[in-house]
Amino acid sequence: MALSGMLFFLGIEHVKQQTCFSFIKNKFCKLMVPFILTNILYLAPIRYITHYYPNNFLIGVLDGQFLLHGNNYLWYLEALFVISVIAFFLEAILKLDRIIIFFIMFLLSLCRVNAPSLLYSALEDGFWFYFGFLFAAERISINAKIRQHPFIITVLSWVGLIITKFLTSYGIGDSTFIYYLTGFLGIIATYSASYLLVQNPSIRNNTLISYLACNGLYLYIFSDPLNGLINYIAATNIGLIVFSNNLYSLILHIVKFFVTATVPLFLAYLISKVKQAAKSTKLLL
């Protein structure tokens, strides 16, 4: 979510030139349309095949997938839509000072406990979204410090992250403080390591990495349901031994890795071709 906030900052000048209606329309098409279509055309059929909702399928889809009262990995799209609208309102409409916005996002994150499921993730992650926004605003000076002290910043942040995760696992220390400290350290550790890696031209210009970066949304949308489908097929045809036998489990994990890594990219390729065909048809008309 912090990465989404960083990207929001990079486009903030363009965002401020949009009307409230055009911004919401644009974000709805980019986030909520994939949320709705993937739920209906992809996730729901797979969960129907795997008998994910054994009682009432339609109610299960509505309650679990659209109202987010269940295991719906697409929560991110809905949460990001709500967060983007809130950030646009505070940043572009009210034009509040960014420290004040950051404080508002922090207060909203504390209010998430009693929020309905549709807003819970948005309130929780809005803080991290705007932290990423402020992080990107200072990225030039941050990059310079990482180049000056790569070992100290990267290694120590990763060590600190491991320690906080250990404390969280064993319930040591104040949970709220550890929660935010873990988030801060995680962002710094991930960003600093990634920044140092992309300084290598062979990594920065790698075709596969570039392709994965461009199609990350499709990997996210299409990969998760395939795990459940493969598990269902394996359990139905082989039996539950596939999960308890080490050899079977190893084979199952290899199959899942291959399928979830290739099928989403193939679907991404098909979607890109459909978009190109639609664009060409529109130009001809």
Side-chain angles (χ1 to χ4, degrees), residues 16 22 28-29 40 56 81 102 122 132 163 169 172 174 179 194 207 216-219 221 228 246 285:
K16 287 182 177 180
S22 64
F28 187 88
C29 292
I40 295 175
N56 190 309
F81 173 73
F102 185 66
I163 292 174
S169 300
I172 302 173
D174 180 73
Y179 166 77
S194 301
T207 304
L217 176 64
Y218 297 110
L219 284 171
I221 287 178
N246 290 335
L285 295 175

Side-chain angles (χ1 to χ4, degrees), residues 217-275:
L217 176 64
Y218 297 110
L219 284 171
Y220 161 68
I221 287 178
F222 294 127
S223 63
D224 189 82
L226 291 174
N227 280 308
L229 180 61
I230 295 170
N231 285 337
Y232 175 80
I233 294 173
T236 302
N237 292 277
I238 301 175
L240 296 179
I241 191 175
V242 74
F243 303 113
S244 58
N245 182 279
N246 290 335
L247 178 60
Y248 285 165
S249 294
L250 176 61
I251 295 173
L252 180 63
H253 279 85
I254 293 174
V255 170
K256 288 198 293 185
F257 175 80
F258 177 77
V259 172
T260 56
T262 56
V263 172
L265 293 180
F266 175 71
L267 293 175
Y269 173 78
L270 292 180
I271 291 173
S272 67
K273 289 300 181 182
V274 171
K275 286 183 177 179

Side-chain angles (χ1 to χ4, degrees), residues 128-242:
W128 298 114
F129 175 92
Y130 207 74
F131 177 78
F133 182 94
L134 296 179
F135 192 94
E138 301 296 328
R139 71 189 186 284
I140 295 176
S141 60
I142 292 173
N143 292 345
K145 291 186 181 301
I146 293 174
R147 290 194 300 270
Q148 292 172 3
H149 311 286
F151 178 83
I152 294 176
I153 294 176
T154 306
V155 174
L156 290 185
S157 59
W158 277 101
V159 171
L161 179 61
I162 293 171
I163 292 174
T164 56
K165 292 298 290 182
F166 174 82
L167 295 176
T168 302
S169 300
Y170 288 91
I172 302 173
D174 180 73
S175 58
T176 302
F177 173 76
I178 296 296
Y179 166 77
Y180 287 105
L181 180 60
T182 301
F184 290 139
L185 290 172
I187 292 171
I188 295 171
T190 305
Y191 180 85
S192 60
S194 301
Y195 178 76
L196 292 173
L197 284 173
V198 297
Q199 300 310 301
N200 186 329
S202 62
I203 295 177
R204 185 173 60 250
N205 301 322
N206 184 277
T207 304
L208 177 59
I209 292 177
S210 299
Y211 186 76
L212 292 175
C214 294
N215 293 281
L217 176 64
Y218 297 110
L219 284 171
Y220 161 68
I221 287 178
F222 294 127
S223 63
D224 189 82
L226 291 174
N227 280 308
L229 180 61
I230 295 170
N231 285 337
Y232 175 80
I233 294 173
T236 302
N237 292 277
I238 301 175
L240 296 179
I241 191 175
V242 74

